């Protein structure tokens, strides 16, 4: 016959196995240890090219010589996601000054001297990265930037050391194509009118660039 102590051990053993049996065979079996199906996420492949080749067109206001169409090219190297180096070259043809138009006979510059060409190398900084949503599932990456540098301007048969400062906004239509809306100011000093004058020629431009 089983002693009282043996009966107590038997009762404890049955009590400990009862919840396990209920979890396996009872209605709670679906709650304990459910099978979880993990969601698969496909990351978009993004280009990692550091070079950017662009063309642009816009208007350039040359002080005393009117606002004129300007066209040019740019080549950028992205050192990091935020910092980039950019080389620019562009050309515009200036108009006659108001003095020339009013006098009728005075010509300050020849036709060839009215060509305005500049080259520069600048350092840029991207900031405020974001997105523009056109629809719930259609969006574009964006960023703003500031830029500044120095270079050379050929105008009126002379070369002028020129500073440039500007800012812009980029919209990335794909991972390899971007639209660029920007403003630049080109500052140099000339003596075309018999005295030393510092001018700031403003440029507004819209460009498209390819990453490679």
């Amino acid at each position: 016959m089983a002693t009282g102590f043996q009966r107590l051990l038997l009762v404890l053993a049955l009590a400990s196995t009862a919840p396990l049996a209920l979890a396996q065979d009872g209605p709670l079996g679906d709650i304990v240890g459910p099978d979880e199906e993990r969601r698969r996420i496909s990351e978009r492949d993004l280009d990692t090219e550091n070079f950017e080749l662009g063309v642009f067109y816009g208007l350039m206001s040359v002080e005393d010589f009117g606002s004129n169409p300007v066209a040019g090219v740019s080549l950028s190297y992205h050192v990091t996601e935020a910092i980039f180096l950019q080389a620019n070259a562009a050309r515009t043809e200036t108009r006659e000054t108001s003095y020339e138009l009013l006098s009728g006979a005075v010509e300050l510059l020849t036709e060839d001297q009215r060509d305005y060409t500049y080259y520069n190398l600048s350092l840029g900084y991207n900031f405020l990265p974001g997105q523009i949503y056109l629809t719930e599932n259609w969006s574009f990456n964006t960023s703003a930037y500031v830029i500044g540098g120095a270079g050379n301007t050929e105008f009126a048969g002379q070369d002028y050391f020129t500073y440039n400062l500007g800012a812009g906004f980029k919209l990335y239509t794909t991972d390899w194509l971007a639209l660029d809306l920007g403003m630049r100011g080109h500052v140099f000093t000339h003596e075309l009118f018999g005295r030393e004058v510092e001018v700031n020629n403003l440029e507004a431009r819209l460009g498209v660039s390819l990453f490679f």
Side-chain angles (χ1 to χ4, degrees):
M1 295 182 61
T3 64
F5 180 73
Q6 291 175 332
R7 285 196 295 271
L8 178 60
L9 290 178
L10 181 60
V11 170
L12 292 176
L14 292 176
S16 64
T17 57
L20 180 60
L22 289 175
Q24 292 177 346
D25 301 329
L28 297 178
D30 294 336
I31 299 177
V32 178
D35 293 331
E36 295 184 0
E37 183 178 351
R38 296 187 179 274
R39 185 176 56 166
R40 296 182 178 274
I41 301 176
S42 299
E43 295 184 0
R44 185 181 179 186
D45 293 330
L46 296 177
D47 289 349
T48 57
E49 288 81 358
N50 294 323
F51 288 95
E52 180 184 2
L53 179 63
V55 294
F56 59 88
Y57 184 84
L59 284 177
M60 188 167 192
S61 176
V62 181
E63 196 166 318
D64 298 316
F65 291 89
S67 297
N68 313 279
V70 61
V73 296
S74 65
L75 177 64
S76 303
Y77 175 71
H78 293 264
V79 182
T80 66
E81 291 185 1
I83 299 174
F84 63 93
L85 296 172
Q86 186 178 87
N88 291 271
R91 179 183 178 275
T92 183
E93 184 176 347
T94 61
R95 302 177 183 178
E96 295 179 327
T97 65
S98 57
Y99 174 73
E100 290 175 295
L101 294 174
L102 291 174
S103 65
V106 176
E107 187 178 78
L108 296 177
L109 302 177
T110 65
E111 288 298 322
D112 291 339
Q113 290 177 328
R114 295 188 188 280
D115 291 341
Y116 181 113
T117 304
Y118 71 78
Y119 314 90
N120 59 49
L121 180 63
S122 303
L123 178 67
Y125 178 74
N126 292 312
F127 67 100
L128 296 180
Q131 287 185 323
I132 291 179
Y133 288 86
L134 297 184
T135 66
E136 183 178 352
N137 299 317
W138 193 17
S139 64
F140 296 105
N141 292 327
T142 62
S143 69
Y145 66 87
V146 291
I147 191 168
N152 182 71
T153 298
E154 297 177 5
F155 180 53
Q158 300 183 49
D159 292 335
Y160 302 97
F161 180 74
T162 306
Y163 298 99
N164 71 88
L165 294 171
F169 178 81
K170 278 189 176 181
L171 185 147
Y172 301 89
T173 58
T174 69
D175 56 353
W176 53 269
L177 180 68
L179 299 178
D180 185 355
L181 178 63
M183 291 285 296
R184 306 285 170 93
H186 304 266
V187 182
F188 64 87
T189 302
H190 68 69
E191 297 181 357
L192 296 179
F193 304 111
R195 59 187 178 88
E196 193 173 89
V197 178
E198 183 179 84
V199 296
N200 184 4
N201 301 322
L202 298 178
E203 174 190 16
R205 66 192 200 182
L206 177 64
V208 59
S209 57
L210 304 174
F211 291 85
F212 63 96

